[in-house]
Amino acid sequence: MPTLPAPDARPPGPPPVSGRGLREVDLILPLATAISIVLGWYVVLDYERVAAPLVAAFPAVGERMRALRLLMVLLSIGCLGLAFLASRDARRRRIAEAGLLVAHAALARRMARRTDILRLRTRALREARLRERLAESEAEAAFAAGRVEAAGAYLHEVGNTLSALDLELLRLSRTLAGAPRLEAAFDALARAVETGDAAGAGTAAAALREAVLGRAMPRLTAGVEALAEVKGRMAAALEHHRGEFERRGKVRPYLQEVRLAEEVAAILDCMPRSAGSDPVARELAPDVVVVTRKQPLLAGLAALVRQALDAATGPVTVRLWRAGDGRAVLALDGAGLPEIGEAAVAAGINFLNENGGTVRHEPAGPGQASRLVIEIAPPPGRGPALGRDLS
């Protein structure tokens, strides 16, 4: 039996490194900020160097230079803060991307593991169904082989008995072949009596006595005794075989639970229609289960439903429900009784009849279409004893 893979115990991988995976967009803003600060201070310092001689003559120039330096300080602080925020956001983004990659890899591993589990379970289910079909086939073959063996032994005994019976009948026929000679002897006796020939009559009577009582009657008695002996041997052989069957116990066929809603839906889905209307309406109760020989039941149902639907000329509704006595009822509203000429249909009806089921046709009435009703016996222990002796 296939084993499921162990849970994934591999480490999730090295932790994400913030210095890896730097992109141009992460460096542009800090670099541009640094260049702007350097150029700004260069311009301000150059302006102060040029305007320094004028401060003594024009005090307003000094005030402007101090205001410009304060503005430059504030701009530098703002640019540095902006660069810090940009670098922090870039670092957080890289950490998030690295975590996303790790999560994606872990998800991929989990998906691969679950895919392997699903594949193994599917294969196990397929193998279990194959073993179930093989067990059913072996049970059917063993049951058929047992019946053939028993029938062969019985027919062999019957053949031996018939051979003995044929021999005794041949002996009786040889005895009865002397009937014309008896008739001639009776005629001679009658003529001797009519002519008054006492000596001839006595001779004819003695010959008749010898023929009837001396030869014919012993042979007939022996033939009757031989036939009685043959009959006794045949009865003894039948009793012997019956005793063997009773000692072995009743051979029970391989029974399975059949969920009729699923099986009938599968039959309707896979069935092409050559007549009638499509699609076929369905009202299938999901909890209808029967215990029987699965292959003959489904083959018979498929043949019955297919022929009934092909013969229908109007809308058809297939209904399935559980009756009060435990029987499963499959009704085809709008369908008639199928032709019995097809071997599969006859076999299906015969299987249902042998196992307590029925197939009947309800003709159309006022406001009601014709209906084909198929009843299947309840599982063992859920209804009458009809379901306990499945053939």
Side-chain angles (χ1 to χ4, degrees), residues 133 136-137 140 254 256 258 292-302 351:
R133 288 196 294 268
E136 180 180 359
S137 301
E140 295 282 350
Y254 182 70
Q256 294 175 270
V258 181
T292 183
R293 294 166 59 196
K294 185 175 182 180
Q295 192 277 332
L297 174 65
L298 296 183
L301 282 182
F351 178 80

Side-chain angles (χ1 to χ4, degrees), residues 148-307:
V148 170
E149 182 181 358
Y154 172 71
L155 291 177
H156 179 71
E157 296 291 340
V158 170
N160 294 338
T161 305
L162 290 179
S163 298
L165 183 63
D166 186 48
L167 179 60
E168 297 302 326
L169 290 177
L170 179 60
R171 291 175 179 175
L172 288 177
S173 65
R174 288 178 179 177
T175 302
L176 294 177
R181 292 193 298 270
L182 289 176
E183 185 177 1
F186 275 111
D187 290 341
L189 178 61
R191 285 194 301 269
V193 172
E194 289 176 356
T195 59
D197 186 3
T203 302
L208 282 174
R209 180 184 180 88
E210 178 64 21
V212 174
L213 299 180
R215 293 191 300 270
M217 291 303 296
R219 290 179 181 177
L220 289 176
T221 302
V224 170
E225 292 177 354
L227 290 178
E229 183 182 358
V230 170
K231 177 184 177 182
R233 289 204 308 268
M234 182 178 290
L238 289 176
E239 185 66 21
H240 173 69
H241 287 297
R242 187 179 67 84
E244 286 186 351
F245 277 114
E246 289 180 354
R247 284 192 298 272
R248 293 178 183 178
K250 186 177 180 181
V251 179
R252 295 187 177 275
Y254 182 70
L255 306 181
Q256 294 175 270
E257 282 193 356
V258 181
R259 298 187 177 276
L260 285 179
E262 299 176 3
E263 300 295 344
V264 172
I267 289 174
L268 295 176
D269 292 337
C270 301
M271 186 175 298
R273 294 288 305 282
S274 60
S277 61
D278 287 316
V280 178
R282 307 177 189 181
E283 296 180 7
L284 307 177
D287 57 344
V288 180
V289 180
V290 296
V291 178
T292 183
R293 294 166 59 196
K294 185 175 182 180
Q295 192 277 332
L297 174 65
L298 296 183
L301 282 182
L304 282 168
V305 173
R306 183 186 68 251
Q307 197 168 98

Side-chain angles (χ1 to χ4, degrees), residues 10-30:
R10 290 175 292 178
V17 181
S18 60
R20 294 182 180 179
L22 291 178
R23 296 180 298 179
E24 292 81 357
V25 68
D26 298 333
L27 299 175
I28 290 176
L29 186 57

Side-chain angles (χ1 to χ4, degrees), residues 37 40-41 44 48 63-79:
I37 293 174
W41 280 105
V44 170
E48 288 182 354
E63 294 293 334
R64 287 181 177 258
M65 289 176 62
R66 285 190 295 271
L68 184 60
R69 181 172 292 187
L70 177 61
L71 178 62
M72 194 62 200
V73 170
L74 295 177
L75 287 176
S76 299
I77 293 173
C79 290

Side-chain angles (χ1 to χ4, degrees), residues 273 303-317 330-340 345 349 359-364 369-374:
R273 294 288 305 282
L304 282 168
V305 173
R306 183 186 68 251
Q307 197 168 98
L309 291 180
D310 289 345
T313 57
V316 178
T317 302
L330 179 65
L332 281 69
D333 294 343
L337 188 65
E339 297 292 336
I340 312 300
V345 176
I349 295 177
V359 178
R360 69 176 186 272
H361 174 243
E362 298 178 358
S370 62
R371 170 187 286 187
L372 177 65
V373 180
I374 303 171

